[in-house]
Each structure stands twice: as structure tokens, then as C-alpha cells.
Amino acid sequence: VPAPSRATLKRTLRITEARASTTALETLTKASVEALVAAASLPAAERAILRVALPRVAALEAAEQSVHELERRSEELDTDLKRNQEHLAAAKSGEGGTNPIATRIVALERARDAGRARLASLRDGLPVLKEAVAHALESLPPLATST
């Protein structure tokens, strides 16, 4: 029995590449974890770990966003406060009664102080949130994504 000619043989070569990458906890986002959870190539056990970690990652991301917003607002309040203090100094009068600029300064100082207290509270809570995310992800092996 003669062997088939080479021209009629079909050969298939299949190559699967894997790329491993690491992501620092500080740069982990809700969207990136959701993308990993949705990846079909991820083993079910790893997907389950990421699902458990997802609310913690979302909470950490939200807290960090709040910190940035409060820092920005604090800078705005400091600028407004300084401007109003300058107006007050320029408008000092010997008349009695309530000075509207002084009232505005007191309100700005209260808003600034409340914002600083909230900012300090959020900053104090960030390590706890980061630890919760790290704890939720600690049993996860390094992820390899197929390309």
C-alpha cells in the first residue's frame, strides 16, 4: 500500500500563549476585576475569589475617589477663606452689627473644618479597606491571561 503524497496531508499547529502580569493593589480598579471575572479563560476557583473581592475593591476605589474630591474641595475652601479674610481686612469698619463678610468667613471655616474631619476619617479608613482587598485576594494565584 503506497503512502499518501505529502501534498494531501494537512497539519494543524496550535499555539497558546500566556502572559502573566501583576497589578499593584493601589492600581486595582472595579472595572479591571470585573473584566477578569468575565474572562472565560479564568478558572472557576479564581473567578470565585475575584467575585468575593469585587465589593471590597469597589469600596476601596470609592473611598479613594472621595479622598481626592475632599482634598480638591478643601483647596477650594482654603482659597475662598483667604479671599474673604482679605475682604474683611479691607472692609473693617467701626460700626456695630454683623459684618456679612465675617459671617461668610465663619461659614467657610466651618465647611473647611467639616471637610478636613471627613477627609481625615476617610484617610484613616483606607488602610483597612486595602487590607480587606488584600485579604480577599491572598488565596488567588498569579493570573495568566491567554492571548
Side-chain angles (χ1 to χ4, degrees), residues 79-143:
T79 301
D80 285 349
L81 185 58
K82 181 179 178 186
R83 186 184 73 247
N84 279 284
Q85 286 170 336
E86 290 169 355
H87 289 313
L88 180 62
K92 281 191 176 180
S93 67
E95 301 173 14
T98 304
N99 186 324
I101 294 174
T103 303
R104 176 75 177 139
I105 288 173
V106 169
L108 285 169
E109 287 174 339
R110 286 183 181 149
R112 181 198 57 198
D113 293 345
R116 285 183 178 167
R118 174 78 175 128
L119 182 58
S121 173
L122 279 170
R123 282 185 179 151
D124 290 345
L126 283 177
V128 174
L129 290 171
K130 286 180 183 179
E131 181 62 31
V133 170
H135 180 70
L137 296 173
E138 69 187 4
S139 60
L140 188 65
L143 298 177

Coordinates of all heavy atoms in Angstrom, one line a residue, residues 79-143:
T79 N -8.9 78.6 49.5 CA -8.8 79.8 48.6 C -9.9 80.8 48.9 O -9.7 82.0 49.0 CB -8.9 79.3 47.1 OG1 -7.8 78.4 46.9 CG2 -8.8 80.5 46.2
D80 N -11.2 80.3 49.0 CA -12.3 81.2 49.4 C -12.1 81.9 50.7 O -12.4 83.0 50.9 CB -13.6 80.4 49.4 CG -14.1 80.0 48.0 OD1 -13.6 80.6 47.0 OD2 -15.1 79.2 47.9
L81 N -11.6 81.1 51.7 CA -11.4 81.6 53.0 C -10.4 82.7 53.0 O -10.6 83.8 53.6 CB -11.0 80.5 54.0 CG -10.9 80.9 55.4 CD1 -12.2 81.5 56.0 CD2 -10.5 79.7 56.2
K82 N -9.3 82.5 52.3 CA -8.2 83.5 52.2 C -8.8 84.8 51.6 O -8.5 85.9 52.0 CB -7.0 83.0 51.5 CG -5.9 83.9 51.4 CD -4.7 83.3 50.6 CE -3.6 84.3 50.5 NZ -2.5 83.9 49.7
R83 N -9.5 84.6 50.5 CA -10.0 85.8 49.8 C -11.0 86.6 50.7 O -10.9 87.8 50.7 CB -10.8 85.3 48.5 CG -11.2 86.5 47.6 CD -12.0 86.1 46.4 NE -13.4 85.6 46.8 CZ -13.8 84.4 46.7 NH1 -13.0 83.4 46.2 NH2 -15.0 84.0 47.1
N84 N -11.9 85.9 51.4 CA -12.8 86.6 52.3 C -12.1 87.2 53.4 O -12.6 88.3 53.9 CB -13.9 85.6 52.7 CG -15.0 85.5 51.6 OD1 -15.8 86.3 51.5 ND2 -15.0 84.4 50.9
Q85 N -11.1 86.6 53.9 CA -10.3 87.2 55.0 C -9.7 88.5 54.6 O -9.6 89.5 55.3 CB -9.3 86.2 55.6 CG -9.9 85.1 56.4 CD -8.9 84.0 56.8 OE1 -7.9 83.8 56.1 NE2 -9.2 83.3 57.8
E86 N -9.2 88.5 53.3 CA -8.6 89.7 52.8 C -9.7 90.8 52.6 O -9.4 92.0 52.8 CB -7.9 89.4 51.4 CG -6.7 88.6 51.6 CD -6.1 88.0 50.2 OE1 -6.8 88.2 49.2 OE2 -5.1 87.4 50.3
H87 N -10.9 90.4 52.1 CA -12.0 91.4 52.0 C -12.4 91.9 53.4 O -12.6 93.1 53.5 CB -13.2 90.7 51.4 CG -13.1 90.4 50.0 ND1 -12.7 91.2 49.0 CD2 -13.5 89.2 49.3 CE1 -12.7 90.7 47.9 NE2 -13.2 89.4 48.0
L88 N -12.4 91.1 54.4 CA -12.7 91.5 55.8 C -11.7 92.5 56.2 O -12.0 93.6 56.8 CB -12.8 90.4 56.7 CG -13.1 90.7 58.2 CD1 -14.5 91.4 58.2 CD2 -13.1 89.4 59.0
A89 N -10.4 92.2 56.0 CA -9.4 93.2 56.4 C -9.5 94.5 55.7 O -9.3 95.6 56.3 CB -8.0 92.6 56.2
A90 N -9.9 94.5 54.5 CA -10.1 95.7 53.7 C -11.3 96.5 54.1 O -11.4 97.7 54.0 CB -10.1 95.4 52.2
A91 N -12.3 95.8 54.6 CA -13.6 96.4 54.9 C -13.9 96.6 56.3 O -15.0 96.9 56.7 CB -14.7 95.5 54.3
K92 N -12.8 96.6 57.2 CA -13.1 96.8 58.6 C -13.7 98.1 58.9 O -13.3 99.1 58.3 CB -11.7 96.7 59.4 CG -11.3 95.3 59.6 CD -10.1 95.2 60.5 CE -9.8 93.8 60.8 NZ -8.7 93.6 61.7
S93 N -14.7 98.1 59.7 CA -15.4 99.3 60.0 C -15.6 99.4 61.5 O -15.7 98.4 62.2 CB -16.7 99.4 59.2 OG -17.6 98.4 59.7
G94 N -15.8 100.6 62.0 CA -16.1 100.8 63.4 C -17.5 100.7 63.8 O -17.9 100.8 64.9
E95 N -18.4 100.4 62.8 CA -19.8 100.3 63.0 C -20.2 99.0 63.7 O -19.5 98.0 63.6 CB -20.6 100.4 61.7 CG -20.3 101.7 60.9 CD -21.0 101.6 59.5 OE1 -21.8 100.7 59.3 OE2 -20.6 102.4 58.7
G96 N -21.2 99.1 64.5 CA -21.7 97.9 65.2 C -22.5 97.0 64.2 O -22.7 97.3 63.0
G97 N -22.9 95.9 64.7 CA -23.7 95.0 63.8 C -22.9 93.8 63.3 O -21.7 93.8 63.5
T98 N -23.6 93.0 62.5 CA -22.9 91.8 62.0 C -22.4 92.2 60.6 O -23.1 92.7 59.7 CB -24.0 90.7 61.8 OG1 -24.5 90.4 63.1 CG2 -23.3 89.4 61.3
N99 N -21.1 91.9 60.4 CA -20.5 92.1 59.1 C -20.7 90.8 58.3 O -20.4 89.7 58.7 CB -19.0 92.3 59.4 CG -18.2 92.6 58.1 OD1 -18.5 92.2 57.0 ND2 -17.2 93.5 58.3
P100 N -21.3 91.0 57.1 CA -21.6 89.9 56.2 C -20.4 89.1 55.8 O -20.4 87.9 55.6 CB -22.3 90.5 55.0 CG -22.1 91.9 55.0 CD -21.7 92.3 56.5
I101 N -19.3 89.8 55.6 CA -18.0 89.1 55.3 C -17.6 88.2 56.4 O -17.1 87.1 56.2 CB -16.9 90.1 54.8 CG1 -17.4 90.8 53.6 CG2 -15.6 89.4 54.6 CD1 -16.5 91.9 53.1
A102 N -17.7 88.7 57.7 CA -17.3 87.9 58.8 C -18.2 86.7 58.9 O -17.7 85.6 59.2 CB -17.4 88.7 60.1
T103 N -19.5 86.8 58.6 CA -20.4 85.7 58.7 C -20.0 84.7 57.6 O -20.0 83.5 57.9 CB -21.8 86.2 58.4 OG1 -22.2 87.2 59.4 CG2 -22.8 85.0 58.4
R104 N -19.6 85.1 56.4 CA -19.2 84.2 55.4 C -17.9 83.5 55.7 O -17.8 82.3 55.5 CB -19.0 85.0 54.1 CG -18.5 84.2 52.9 CD -19.5 83.4 52.3 NE -19.0 82.7 51.2 CZ -19.2 81.4 50.9 NH1 -20.0 80.7 51.6 NH2 -18.6 80.9 49.8
I105 N -17.0 84.2 56.4 CA -15.8 83.6 56.8 C -16.0 82.5 57.8 O -15.4 81.4 57.7 CB -14.8 84.6 57.4 CG1 -14.2 85.5 56.2 CG2 -13.6 84.0 58.1 CD1 -13.4 86.7 56.6
V106 N -16.9 82.7 58.8 CA -17.2 81.7 59.8 C -17.8 80.5 59.1 O -17.5 79.3 59.4 CB -18.2 82.3 60.8 CG1 -18.7 81.2 61.7 CG2 -17.5 83.3 61.7
A107 N -18.7 80.7 58.1 CA -19.3 79.6 57.4 C -18.3 78.8 56.6 O -18.3 77.6 56.6 CB -20.4 80.1 56.5
L108 N -17.4 79.5 56.0 CA -16.3 78.8 55.2 C -15.4 78.0 56.1 O -15.0 76.9 55.8 CB -15.5 79.9 54.4 CG -16.1 80.4 53.2 CD1 -15.3 81.6 52.6 CD2 -16.2 79.3 52.1
E109 N -15.1 78.6 57.3 CA -14.2 77.9 58.3 C -14.9 76.6 58.7 O -14.3 75.6 58.9 CB -13.9 78.8 59.4 CG -12.9 79.9 59.1 CD -12.6 80.9 60.2 OE1 -13.5 81.0 61.1 OE2 -11.6 81.6 60.2
R110 N -16.2 76.7 59.0 CA -16.9 75.5 59.4 C -17.0 74.5 58.3 O -16.8 73.3 58.6 CB -18.4 75.9 59.8 CG -18.4 76.6 61.2 CD -19.9 76.9 61.6 NE -19.9 77.6 62.9 CZ -20.8 78.5 63.2 NH1 -21.8 78.7 62.4 NH2 -20.7 79.1 64.4
A111 N -17.2 74.9 57.1 CA -17.2 73.9 56.0 C -15.8 73.3 55.8 O -15.7 72.1 55.6 CB -17.6 74.6 54.7
R112 N -14.8 74.1 55.9 CA -13.4 73.6 55.8 C -13.1 72.6 56.9 O -12.6 71.5 56.6 CB -12.4 74.8 55.8 CG -11.0 74.3 55.7 CD -10.0 75.3 56.2 NE -10.2 75.6 57.6 CZ -9.8 76.7 58.2 NH1 -9.0 77.6 57.5 NH2 -10.0 76.9 59.4
D113 N -13.5 72.9 58.1 CA -13.2 72.1 59.3 C -14.0 70.7 59.1 O -13.4 69.7 59.4 CB -13.5 72.8 60.6 CG -12.6 73.9 60.9 OD1 -11.5 74.0 60.2 OD2 -12.9 74.8 61.7
A114 N -15.2 70.8 58.7 CA -16.0 69.6 58.5 C -15.4 68.7 57.4 O -15.3 67.5 57.5 CB -17.5 69.9 58.2
G115 N -15.0 69.4 56.3 CA -14.3 68.6 55.2 C -13.0 68.0 55.6 O -12.7 66.8 55.3
R116 N -12.3 68.7 56.4 CA -11.0 68.1 56.9 C -11.2 67.0 57.9 O -10.5 66.0 57.8 CB -10.2 69.2 57.6 CG -9.5 70.2 56.7 CD -8.7 71.2 57.4 NE -8.0 72.1 56.4 CZ -7.4 73.2 56.8 NH1 -7.4 73.6 58.0 NH2 -6.9 74.0 55.8
A117 N -12.3 67.0 58.7 CA -12.6 65.9 59.6 C -13.0 64.7 58.8 O -12.6 63.6 59.0 CB -13.7 66.3 60.5
R118 N -13.8 64.9 57.7 CA -14.3 63.8 56.9 C -13.1 63.2 56.1 O -13.0 62.0 56.0 CB -15.4 64.3 55.9 CG -15.8 63.3 54.9 CD -16.7 62.3 55.4 NE -17.2 61.4 54.3 CZ -17.1 60.1 54.4 NH1 -16.7 59.5 55.5 NH2 -17.5 59.4 53.4
L119 N -12.2 64.1 55.6 CA -11.0 63.6 54.9 C -10.1 62.8 55.8 O -9.6 61.8 55.4 CB -10.3 64.9 54.4 CG -9.0 64.6 53.5 CD1 -9.3 63.8 52.3 CD2 -8.4 65.9 53.1
A120 N -9.9 63.3 57.0 CA -9.1 62.5 58.0 C -9.7 61.1 58.3 O -9.0 60.1 58.3 CB -8.9 63.3 59.3
S121 N -11.0 61.1 58.4 CA -11.7 59.8 58.7 C -11.5 58.9 57.5 O -11.2 57.7 57.7 CB -13.2 60.1 58.9 OG -13.9 58.9 59.0
L122 N -11.7 59.4 56.3 CA -11.5 58.6 55.1 C -10.1 58.1 54.9 O -9.8 56.9 54.6 CB -11.9 59.3 53.8 CG -13.4 59.4 53.5 CD1 -13.7 60.4 52.4 CD2 -13.9 58.0 53.2
R123 N -9.1 59.0 55.2 CA -7.7 58.6 55.1 C -7.4 57.5 56.1 O -6.6 56.5 55.8 CB -6.8 59.8 55.3 CG -6.7 60.6 54.1 CD -5.7 61.7 54.3 NE -5.6 62.6 53.2 CZ -5.2 63.9 53.2 NH1 -5.0 64.5 54.4 NH2 -5.1 64.5 52.1
D124 N -8.0 57.6 57.3 CA -7.8 56.6 58.4 C -8.4 55.2 57.9 O -7.8 54.2 58.3 CB -8.4 57.0 59.7 CG -7.6 58.2 60.3 OD1 -6.5 58.4 59.9 OD2 -8.2 58.8 61.3
G125 N -9.5 55.3 57.2 CA -10.1 54.0 56.8 C -9.5 53.4 55.6 O -9.8 52.2 55.3
L126 N -8.7 54.1 54.8 CA -8.1 53.5 53.6 C -7.3 52.3 53.9 O -7.4 51.2 53.2 CB -7.3 54.5 52.8 CG -8.1 55.5 52.0 CD1 -7.2 56.5 51.3 CD2 -9.0 54.8 50.9
P127 N -6.4 52.3 54.9 CA -5.6 51.1 55.1 C -6.5 49.8 55.4 O -6.2 48.7 55.0 CB -4.7 51.4 56.3 CG -4.6 52.9 56.2 CD -6.0 53.4 55.7
V128 N -7.6 50.1 56.2 CA -8.5 48.9 56.5 C -9.1 48.4 55.2 O -9.2 47.2 55.0 CB -9.6 49.4 57.5 CG1 -10.6 48.3 57.7 CG2 -8.9 49.8 58.8
L129 N -9.5 49.3 54.3 CA -10.1 48.8 53.1 C -9.1 48.1 52.2 O -9.4 47.1 51.6 CB -10.7 50.0 52.3 CG -12.0 50.6 52.9 CD1 -12.3 51.9 52.2 CD2 -13.1 49.7 52.8
K130 N -7.9 48.6 52.1 CA -6.8 48.0 51.4 C -6.5 46.6 51.9 O -6.3 45.6 51.2 CB -5.5 48.8 51.4 CG -5.6 50.0 50.5 CD -4.4 50.9 50.5 CE -4.5 52.1 49.7 NZ -3.3 52.9 49.7
E131 N -6.5 46.5 53.2 CA -6.2 45.2 53.9 C -7.4 44.2 53.6 O -7.1 43.0 53.3 CB -6.1 45.4 55.4 CG -5.8 44.1 56.1 CD -4.5 43.4 55.8 OE1 -3.5 44.1 55.4 OE2 -4.4 42.2 55.8
A132 N -8.6 44.7 53.5 CA -9.7 43.8 53.2 C -9.6 43.3 51.8 O -9.9 42.1 51.5 CB -11.0 44.6 53.4
V133 N -9.2 44.2 50.8 CA -9.0 43.7 49.5 C -7.8 42.7 49.4 O -8.0 41.7 48.7 CB -8.7 44.9 48.5 CG1 -8.3 44.5 47.1 CG2 -10.0 45.8 48.4
A134 N -6.7 43.0 50.0 CA -5.6 42.1 50.0 C -6.0 40.8 50.6 O -5.6 39.7 50.1 CB -4.4 42.8 50.8
H135 N -6.7 40.8 51.7 CA -7.1 39.6 52.3 C -8.0 38.7 51.4 O -7.9 37.5 51.3 CB -7.8 39.8 53.7 CG -8.3 38.6 54.4 ND1 -7.4 37.7 55.0 CD2 -9.5 38.1 54.6 CE1 -8.1 36.7 55.5 NE2 -9.4 36.9 55.3
A136 N -8.9 39.4 50.7 CA -9.8 38.7 49.8 C -9.1 38.1 48.6 O -9.5 37.1 48.1 CB -10.9 39.7 49.3
L137 N -8.0 38.7 48.3 CA -7.2 38.2 47.1 C -6.0 37.4 47.4 O -5.4 36.8 46.5 CB -6.8 39.4 46.3 CG -7.8 40.3 45.7 CD1 -7.2 41.6 45.0 CD2 -8.7 39.5 44.6
E138 N -5.7 37.2 48.7 CA -4.5 36.5 49.0 C -4.4 35.0 48.6 O -3.4 34.5 48.3 CB -4.2 36.6 50.5 CG -5.2 35.8 51.4 CD -4.9 36.1 52.9 OE1 -4.1 36.9 53.2 OE2 -5.6 35.4 53.7
S139 N -5.6 34.4 48.4 CA -5.5 33.0 48.0 C -5.5 32.8 46.5 O -5.5 31.7 46.0 CB -6.7 32.2 48.6 OG -7.9 32.8 48.1
L140 N -5.5 34.0 45.8 CA -5.5 33.9 44.4 C -4.1 33.7 43.8 O -3.2 34.5 44.2 CB -6.1 35.3 43.9 CG -6.4 35.4 42.4 CD1 -7.5 34.5 42.0 CD2 -6.8 36.8 42.1
P141 N -3.9 32.7 43.0 CA -2.6 32.5 42.4 C -2.3 33.6 41.4 O -3.3 34.3 40.9 CB -2.7 31.2 41.8 CG -4.1 31.0 41.5 CD -4.9 31.7 42.5
P142 N -1.1 33.8 40.9 CA -0.8 34.8 39.9 C -1.7 34.4 38.6 O -1.8 33.2 38.3 CB 0.7 34.6 39.6 CG 1.2 34.0 40.8 CD 0.1 33.1 41.4
L143 N -2.3 35.4 38.1 CA -3.2 35.2 36.9 C -2.4 35.2 35.6 O -1.5 36.0 35.4 CB -4.2 36.3 36.9 CG -5.2 36.4 38.1 CD1 -6.1 37.6 37.9 CD2 -6.0 35.1 38.2

